[in-house]
Amino acid sequence: MQNPIYTISRIAEILNADARLVDKQAFIQYLVIDSRSVLVPENSLFFALSSHRDGHGFIKDAYHKQIRNFVITEEKYINEYPDCNFIRVDDALKALQNLTVYHRNQFDLKTIGITGSNGKTIVKEWLYQLLAADYNIVRSPKSYNSQIGVPLSVWQIDTDNTLGIFEAGISAVNEMETLAEIIQPQIGILTNIGEAHAEGFSSKGEKLKEKLKLFAAAELFIYSPDYVSEINFQDLPGKKQFSWSSTQSADLRIIAVESLEGNCRLRAIYQDREIACMLPFNDRASIENGTICWATLLALGYSAEQADLRLEKLSHVSMRLELKNGINQCSIIDDSYSADISSLAIALDFLNQQNQHPKKTVILSELFETGRDDLDLYSEIADLLAQKKVNRLIGIGTHIAKYAQRFKFETQFFEDTNAFIDAFPALHFNHETILVKGARRFEFGRISKLLTQKIHDTVLEIDLNAMVGNLQFYRSKIKPGVKIMAMVKAFSYGSGSFEIANLLQFHKVDYLAVAYADEGIALRKAGITLPIMVMSPEESAFEAIIKHNLEPEIYSLEIFNSFLKALSDQNYDYPIHLKIDSGMHRLGFDEQDIDKLSELLKDAQQIKVQSIFSHLVASGASEHDGFTQQQIDKFNLIANKLTAILSCKPLLHIANTSGISRWPDAQMDMVRLGIGLYGFDSALSNNRGLQTTMVLKTTVTQIKTLDAGETVGYSRSGVMPNGGKIATVKIGYADGYSRAFGNGIGKMLINGYLVPTIGSICMDMTMLDITGIDVKPGDEAIVFNQEHSIIELAKQINTIPYEILTNISQRVKRVYFYE
Ligand SMILES: *Cc1c(COP(=O)(O)O)cnc(C)c1O
């Protein structure tokens, strides 16, 4: 069989849609939904989807990136771009899905569909590892499992593939039928079912029934009876079933889980005899995911012995890439666990997004894209690297080196990882961003270890996907046309500086705001080109502000005059922001200043009032709603007065995070999004809809057993009347863990147990009471995460999440994750 060839006119036919085609033979290989991620523009078809934002808004950007083929719903673009092909449909998402259903129908390969609340991606990746010896497998990239991700995954199928493994996730009823039609799985795997509310369903039963629609036509269904109690056995999908459980009778009945130094041995009854397997993991989630894979191998007909041999070789799957500080001022993007072309494209986008260093290096192993011709593969990689503006490639492996001449920039090649490591002392890495990306067998973890600064044992992990999710959440709440100013003052509320600003710039917020000029200067030096407002512009910093094109907040007549003086005659229309005091009584013009200010503004040609704004003091608190309304009214009055005398209309803004949803009429021209981006909003009960962005972890250094009556720490404040066991962890008040958490007020999570502090918090260390709990030196202690939340911590010491976050000192290493 041949791969189907899709010309644009063939696609128009398949979609049964109207088209205006200027080049009917344009060959389409890639489907693009994001104008920022384009592989080969001339063979790409852009779908203007409308999800959080209307995809039509990105047609211009896609056009600039040389894309000439579009699927749209709005006709008006057709005339704007006379040299492009357009297919017009009523629903661009449906069109994307229909096209991939057609594509799927061209192949009759075996397919496994995976759904469930957790573990889908890991089970998919592990099955890939387990089955790669016997099949040529196509699988969803990363966790592409949505209404958009599934079509993009299935589009990758080609004739060489003998097995497809696809995951499917849904968030509402009626979504699964579509995914089932696209994937058409013969084998179905249900990983598990968690709480219904977490995924937007009214009950567990509803959620389960919805998910199982994926398998309506499946031959074989693999599941645990523990997760399907809401359904009668005869209503389960699949012509045949295979079950696993550790609590009730099942085809694979787990009878024991023995943990052995990081590994674990599972024993089970299968076909009336006892069998066993080793897993190289021993955490709960991995044991469940490993059991699912075990059941799948057996259900597919592998013998217990074969299954055991393969399972013990499973390796850790990291779906996230990490951004860390490296040696010699480098930034390291560590994606050392996987290498295939689609994840390479994602990692390169991330590299491109981080602009802190002008030089970009990629350390890449050869890829194993089964069934692809090497020349074709490495030519595509060379184009991709050039397009993403990589300056240097360090290629590792003998295959990639053969295609050295395809890479038209600085290159160096090494036969294997050891050769690179031997040469490392003589290689110079300095002030550059380095992407480390390698296939598993190349063990690139060793390379990233060499390149990264020694990780202190206390780490603040920042989930960049969660942050983007929170940004999209607020985007969906603001009215069309309202701009977003993202507040990145105080190291983005403790989370980081240029790392976060680069992310926000990539995701196209309109403005950034910092507290001080030097914060803004640091961002400019890291490649941030967005407009930046400086809220406390010191007079001594005016020159630097102007030099770096930062925009000062002007809050008094004095500062207005002195800033005017600092501007030279060459400056014309320099952007400034006027702050009005509407009731906060911190900084800002008072009502009685306004006439004088108006006079000054009339003559000031050097400046341009870019915005006028004020700040709400209690936008999240209903008991102060009357006052908030007064603030809004007062601001409107003053802002309108000022606007009347200006020749350009300034942006008006007053709403902070909790104002966005509670005071939609105060969104005006722009909102200032702060704490919401980082996952907190006092206007939402339980921060519903927001994702946790930060986790603070430390490690246990030593364990001690104390006798009755002994005391712990300074001033002997930690008393153990009955004796017990304590653990010392590597975080103290100098790291931002307040002394107020001492003596049992604060708690940390170790191995799933919440344990209290004992004694006073020291400068660099804290002692925890772990009496009765199994803890070893080296174990992880979680200071806060999603379950043990910052909100709880803030309550314990009578403060607010803002303070907990911004107190985390710069000494604590930040590691950024991106999926
Ligand atoms: C910090 C700050 C914000 C953001 O407030 P959040 O409550 O974090 O959203 C908005 N405006 C001004 C002037 C600020 O200083």
Side-chain angles (χ1 to χ4, degrees):
M1 190 169 41
Q2 280 251 298
N3 269 329
I5 291 187
Y6 297 106
T7 58
I8 190 75
S9 57
R10 180 78 192 105
I11 290 178
E13 242 169 67
I14 293 168
L15 295 178
N16 196 10
D18 292 337
R20 197 286 308 276
L21 304 180
V22 291
D23 172 14
K24 289 194 166 78
Q25 295 311 312
F27 167 59
I28 301 301
Q29 195 177 0
Y30 301 95
L31 307 184
V32 174
I33 51 140
D34 185 332
S35 60
R36 293 167 310 202
S37 320
V38 180
L39 274 171
V40 184
E42 54 280 20
N43 303 126
S44 294
L45 174 59
F46 180 86
F47 283 76
L49 302 180
S50 39
S51 47
H52 292 293
R53 302 169 88 186
D54 182 2
H56 292 84
F58 299 105
I59 290 178
K60 194 166 154 197
D61 189 38
Y63 182 83
H64 282 303
K65 300 224 165 98
Q66 308 301 329
I67 290 190
R68 294 292 177 268
N69 302 288
F70 296 89
V71 173
I72 53 167
T73 55
E74 283 174 41
E75 225 147 322
K76 65 175 192 214
Y77 293 91
I78 296 178
N79 292 333
E80 264 179 59
Y81 298 94
D83 58 338
C84 290
N85 290 324
F86 281 100
I87 296 178
R88 207 201 65 77
V89 298
D90 293 331
D91 180 337
L93 177 61
K94 260 270 109 14
L96 173 70
Q97 295 168 340
N98 290 344
L99 178 60
T100 49
V101 169
Y102 176 89
H103 182 69
R104 172 70 184 87
N105 284 330
Q106 307 311 301
F107 303 92
D108 58 358
L109 82 169
K110 191 175 192 139
T111 38
I112 299 179
I114 306 173
T115 192
S117 299
N118 297 301
K120 295 184 285 295
T121 305
I122 301 291
V123 168
K124 177 199 73 198
E125 290 297 318
W126 279 355
L127 287 176
Y128 171 77
Q129 292 181 17
L130 294 165
L131 299 172
D134 305 325
Y135 297 93
N136 182 339
I137 302 174
V138 51
R139 67 196 199 277
S140 327
K142 305 259 168 178
S143 52
Y144 277 31
N145 62 30
S146 64
Q147 297 289 301
I148 297 170
V150 168
L152 294 179
S153 302
V154 165
W155 181 253
Q156 304 180 107
I157 302 177
D158 74 32
T159 44
D160 296 324
N161 298 127
T162 52
L163 174 66
I165 311 179
F166 300 108
E167 53 177 292
I170 50 169
S171 51
V173 287
N174 300 327
E175 287 189 346
M176 199 53 110
E177 280 106 327
T178 310
L179 301 186
E181 209 189 334
I182 302 173
I183 299 177
Q184 301 173 21
Q186 283 117 26
I187 300 161
I189 299 176
L190 175 73
T191 56
N192 57 32
I193 290 287
E195 285 312 310
H197 67 82
E199 292 170 83
F201 291 91
S202 61
S203 75
K204 240 172 152 164
E206 178 192 60
K207 180 162 93 163
L208 178 62
K209 286 202 182 95
E210 196 58 37
K211 295 206 174 205
L212 292 185
K213 286 183 185 163
L214 178 60
F215 309 129
E219 302 284 329
L220 170 65
F221 174 53
I222 300 162
Y223 72 103
S224 168
D226 306 359
Y227 294 122
V228 296
S229 55
E230 285 83 359
I231 288 191
N232 293 327
F233 179 76
Q234 59 273 18
D235 294 334
L236 287 178
K239 296 203 179 76
K240 280 192 298 186
Q241 285 92 20
F242 189 101
S243 59
W244 58 272
S245 174
S246 57
T247 60
Q248 52 186 304
S249 88
D251 295 311
L252 180 67
R253 168 82 169 96
I254 309 293
I255 52 172
V257 178
E258 297 152 2
S259 92
L260 310 154
E261 291 179 15
N263 300 324
C264 82
R265 206 168 108 91
L266 302 183
R267 290 196 287 128
I269 303 293
Y270 170 61
Q271 296 184 338
D272 299 325
R273 70 174 176 119
E274 187 178 323
I275 62 170
C277 77
M278 281 293 279
L279 290 176
F281 308 96
N282 71 353
D283 61 286
R284 258 178 56 189
S286 300
I287 291 171
E288 177 165 301
N289 294 330
T291 306
I292 295 167
C293 291
W294 195 15
T296 306
L297 288 179
L298 296 170
L300 289 175
Y302 288 89
S303 71
E305 291 71 27
Q306 285 169 325
D308 181 31
L309 278 176
R310 293 191 183 193
L311 286 162
E312 77 178 355
K313 294 203 201 79
L314 277 181
S315 67
H316 176 74
V317 176
S318 172
M319 299 316 294
R320 38 192 213 178
L321 53 81
E322 300 181 359
L323 169 64
K324 326 181 211 192
N325 288 328
I327 54 167
N328 306 333
Q329 316 295 322
C330 293
S331 297
I332 310 301
I333 299 173
D334 182 357
D335 195 2
S336 55
Y337 288 104
S338 72
D340 53 69
I341 200 148
S342 58
S343 73
L344 176 64
I346 294 169
L348 286 170
D349 275 335
F350 188 73
L351 176 69
N352 228 341
Q353 168 194 122
Q354 292 291 322
N355 297 308
Q356 54 269 40
H357 307 295
K359 179 161 183 182
K360 293 179 178 170
T361 296
V362 172
I363 304 180
L364 181 69
S365 77
E366 56 198 38
L367 306 194
F368 301 96
E369 297 271 310
T370 32
R372 275 196 74 177
D373 172 53
D374 266 1
L375 174 65
D376 186 42
L377 177 67
Y378 289 109
S379 304
E380 183 174 332
I381 291 175
D383 290 348
L384 187 59
L385 296 182
Q387 188 203 345
K388 302 293 179 187
K389 305 196 174 62
V390 170
N391 308 94
R392 163 159 80 149
L393 167 72
I394 296 180
I396 299 188
T398 46
H399 286 244
I400 189 168
K402 284 194 205 136
Y403 300 93
Q405 75 288 355
R406 318 257 5 147
F407 300 94
K408 308 278 185 241
F409 42 82
E410 190 186 338
T411 53
Q412 246 174 316
F413 293 92
F414 295 92
E415 195 172 325
D416 53 26
T417 305
N418 284 332
F420 172 86
I421 290 174
D422 291 343
F424 184 76
L427 297 171
H428 296 287
F429 294 100
N430 212 325
H431 281 95
E432 56 199 294
T433 309
I434 307 172
L435 169 64
V436 182
K437 184 136 186 78
R440 253 181 313 127
R441 70 175 79 156
F442 280 88
E443 300 181 348
F444 270 18
R446 292 160 64 205
I447 295 181
S448 63
K449 227 185 219 152
L450 283 178
L451 288 167
T452 27
Q453 287 178 355
K454 190 178 149 354
I455 290 274
H456 195 289
D457 293 309
T458 301
V459 180
L460 181 67
E461 294 184 351
I462 297 109
D463 181 341
L464 298 179
N465 290 86
M467 217 175 267
V468 174
N470 293 340
L471 174 65
Q472 306 296 31
F473 174 84
Y474 286 100
R475 278 211 165 115
S476 71
K477 288 195 173 278
I478 56 178
K479 300 174 188 175
V482 174
K483 293 182 185 323
I484 294 184
M485 174 182 269
M487 308 308 282
V488 294
K489 60 191 178 192
F491 290 101
S492 306
Y493 291 48
S495 67
S497 81
F498 52 75
E499 299 90 348
I500 305 300
N502 271 312
L503 181 83
L504 295 167
Q505 174 163 290
F506 183 76
H507 287 280
K508 301 206 159 40
V509 303
D510 301 281
Y511 250 96
L512 295 176
V514 294
Y516 295 102
D518 46 3
E519 296 176 335
I521 294 166
L523 295 184
R524 282 281 178 260
K525 289 188 172 157
I528 303 297
T529 53
L530 282 175
I532 301 175
M533 179 172 91
V534 177
M535 293 191 291
S536 296
E538 316 91 308
E539 231 182 294
S540 59
F542 282 169
E543 208 184 305
I545 285 182
I546 295 164
K547 180 170 164 220
H548 290 97
N549 205 6
L550 303 172
E551 305 179 7
E553 163 183 328
I554 301 294
Y555 52 83
S556 70
L557 295 169
E558 293 73 36
I559 195 149
F560 183 89
N561 283 321
S562 57
F563 189 70
L564 271 191
K565 276 198 209 107
L567 288 169
S568 73
D569 297 341
Q570 265 94 57
N571 290 114
Y572 179 72
D573 273 0
Y574 195 94
I576 63 162
H577 301 264
L578 298 177
K579 173 75 167 287
I580 308 301
D581 184 356
S582 61
M584 173 103 180
H585 302 323
R586 185 170 64 178
L587 295 179
F589 290 99
D590 294 321
E591 209 161 357
Q592 65 266 26
D593 300 327
I594 300 303
D595 289 337
K596 189 87 212 300
L597 176 63
S598 302
E599 283 306 307
L600 293 173
L601 281 170
K602 278 181 193 152
D603 300 327
Q605 300 296 321
Q606 287 158 290
I607 54 114
K608 173 182 178 208
V609 177
Q610 188 71 17
S611 86
I612 304 177
F613 73 108
S614 187
H615 195 37
L616 298 174
V617 301
S619 57
S622 54
E623 65 270 33
H624 296 300
D625 281 354
F627 185 78
T628 302
Q629 189 59 55
Q630 278 176 31
Q631 278 197 284
I632 295 170
D633 294 344
K634 182 167 178 186
F635 172 71
N636 275 328
L637 198 77
I638 295 177
N640 291 337
K641 237 185 194 172
L642 287 169
T643 304
I645 59 129
L646 296 172
S647 52
C648 279
K649 193 190 165 310
L651 298 168
L652 305 187
H653 48 113
I654 195 166
N656 65 334
T657 296
S658 46
I660 294 175
S661 42
R662 291 201 70 238
W663 297 89
D665 290 337
Q667 292 177 0
M668 304 182 190
D669 300 314
M670 182 152 78
V671 294
R672 296 190 307 273
L673 178 59
I675 195 103
L677 199 51
Y678 309 101
F680 305 89
D681 185 342
S682 58
L684 302 169
S685 85
N686 281 328
N687 295 304
R688 210 178 168 133
L690 294 180
Q691 301 175 41
T692 303
T693 58
M694 289 183 248
V695 172
L696 179 60
K697 296 174 168 175
T698 183
T699 39
V700 174
T701 331
Q702 197 175 25
I703 311 275
K704 288 180 190 294
T705 304
L706 302 189
D707 289 335
E710 290 200 271
T711 63
V712 181
Y714 287 120
S715 316
R716 309 194 62 200
S717 66
V719 189
M720 289 212 124
N722 304 314
K725 212 164 57 159
I726 60 159
T728 304
V729 293
K730 295 184 185 181
I731 188 171
Y733 57 80
D735 299 292
Y737 193 64
S738 168
R739 265 190 103 244
F741 285 118
N743 297 305
I745 301 210
K747 296 182 175 59
M748 294 188 198
L749 260 177
I750 301 189
N751 299 336
Y753 294 95
L754 211 46
V755 297
T757 61
I758 180 162
S760 307
I761 307 298
C762 308
M763 190 185 289
D764 314 304
M765 283 175 261
T766 292
M767 279 71 87
L768 301 168
D769 182 350
I770 53 160
T771 308
I773 294 170
D774 187 20
V775 179
K776 301 181 297 304
D779 282 356
E780 187 173 272
I782 291 170
V783 183
F784 56 72
N785 66 2
Q786 184 169 0
E787 289 82 48
H788 181 39
S789 78
I790 292 182
I791 308 218
E792 284 306 307
L793 267 71
K795 275 191 202 134
Q796 285 160 0
I797 62 166
N798 243 323
T799 182
I800 51 176
Y802 298 73
E803 195 184 22
I804 303 273
L805 285 175
T806 53
N807 270 354
I808 303 165
S809 76
Q810 286 305 304
R811 167 168 107 176
V812 175
K813 291 281 177 293
R814 269 71 173 163
V815 174
Y816 302 84
F817 293 109
Y818 195 76
E819 282 180 16

